[in-house]
Amino acid sequence: MTDQMIQRAQLLMMHRKYAEAERVLQQLMTQDPNNVYVLHMYSEVMLEKKEFDQALTLASDAVAQEPDNNVLYHQRARIQLARNKYDLAAEDLDTAISLDPADANSFALYALLQLDRKQYSDALRLAESGLEQDPSNLIALNARSTALLKLGKKDASFDTIQGAFRKDPENAYTHANYGWGLLENGDAKGALRHFAEALRIDPSSRMAQQGMVEALKGKYLVYRLYLRYMFWMSNLTAGYQWAFVIGFFLASRGLNALSNTYPALQPFVVPLLVLLVVFAFSTWIIQPLGNLFLRFNQYGRYLLDKREILASNLVAGSLGVAIAGGVGMLLSGAPAWFSVLIYGLTMLMPLSVVFTASRYRWAFVAAGIFMGVTGALAILATAFGAPIDNLFGMIYGISVILFPWVINAVSIRANNP
């Protein structure tokens, strides 16, 4: 009876019917709560359901029962990665590899972890160690390809991914990974083909869906340039990202001081300064604006999730507020309309990131709510006769200045585990 129930749970998991598989596994746990294989399966179901705390508890129980089983440490490492606990995941992978140095899967997963940490040379070493054990390991092949691409070895990267296709031409992950590589290399059309193929094989692949969204927007020159900038920034470690952000700020301040000190240089310096401001502002809003335009694409609108649709709606609304403020100011000249214009333009920044998928999303939401409320109060105060630099207006102005720094700090921390 137990074997039949295990086989039924395996079949349900194979067909991704995780809720039904969970019910079967709960019955098995009642019969034998210390069965390591059942604990392992149950943990896998919880991982797929994104119930990471329960998955971790089950995996740890399994490890306690069989502390010499490398597969259990590998599974727990996957859960720790899903929880963004990179150091703990690395500890489990070190243990898994020490228990079974011939297991290519642990090397491959460790390579992916190091890719997330932007330790590209170490990721390449780990991927190649995995391939020494199993030259056909698709995860290791994909990790090696990505590491080589990040290290600037494009030809070797694409040769490696072709090797993965020879091993399994119908692997959705390989197609999606190749698509992202092509997109980073500037080939949006080629990326689209591979994302489409990945979605044909696995329509639920979020990696392919997100790639398809970016590739569709990448067909436009402005967004393609933005993607180049984002890929370049994302490949930098935290220190270099901060160096760029601070350097950009100091360069802007320096140009402004130069313009004020030497008026004769203003015809040359001011356009450059405006260009820098426009560039900085555009990096905040181009993603949700691209999603807004994508909603008019016959295919693109089906790829956006609820958060992305809502963010694009909010950005469109904020643009509408800015336009209304501009029109009102031209027609009446009232200071309140100028406040509305500034409010609509500056609120584009927090609204563009408020629904970003991040473990620090609460910070984005909190900043958006705070700025939205204080800005609205500033407009209300101005409408009742208060000067533009009223208390709420000053608080809002300070928050507009601080917002990019706070969110950059949060984003850099989130992108450098």
Side-chain angles (χ1 to χ4, degrees), residues 105-116:
N105 290 322
S106 292
F107 283 108
L109 184 61
Y110 213 155
L112 294 181
L113 183 154
Q114 293 299 74
L115 284 175
D116 280 352

Side-chain angles (χ1 to χ4, degrees), residues 7-46:
Q7 290 174 5
R8 175 168 171 71
Q10 290 172 331
L11 187 63
L12 289 168
M13 290 172 66
M14 188 183 305
H15 290 88
R16 298 182 179 179
K17 296 181 178 181
Y18 298 116
E20 296 175 39
E22 182 183 1
R23 287 194 289 271
V24 176
L25 290 166
Q26 285 174 340
Q27 294 178 37
L28 287 166
M29 286 284 291
T30 302
Q31 298 174 17
D32 185 2
N34 295 320
N35 186 309
V36 171
Y37 188 62
V38 172
L39 286 167
H40 176 67
M41 291 176 65
Y42 200 172
S43 178
E44 192 68 27
V45 167
M46 292 297 99

Side-chain angles (χ1 to χ4, degrees), residues 8 23 54 65 90 102 126 181 183 202 209 236 241 247 263 291 297 315 319 341 370 373 378-379 400:
R8 175 168 171 71
R23 287 194 289 271
Q54 190 172 352
Q65 295 294 326
L126 288 161
L183 194 58
D202 180 8
Q209 291 170 355
L236 298 177
Q241 286 182 352
N291 289 343
N297 182 285
V315 165
L319 280 174
L341 170 63
F370 177 80
V373 171
I379 293 172
V400 168

Side-chain angles (χ1 to χ4, degrees), residues 339-407:
S339 298
V340 172
L341 170 63
I342 297 301
Y343 179 71
L345 288 175
T346 51
M347 278 302 295
L348 287 171
M349 290 193 299
L351 292 177
S352 67
V353 299
V354 71
F355 294 111
T356 300
S358 167
R359 64 182 185 272
Y360 297 108
R361 187 168 61 232
W362 60 268
F364 302 157
V365 174
I369 292 173
F370 177 80
M371 290 180 66
V373 171
T374 54
L377 290 173
I379 293 172
L380 191 62
T382 306
F384 279 96
I388 290 180
D389 59 346
N390 60 72
L391 176 62
F392 292 114
M394 292 175 65
I395 293 173
Y396 183 72
I398 293 171
S399 68
V400 168
I401 294 170
L402 291 178
F403 174 81
W405 292 96
V406 173
I407 298 303

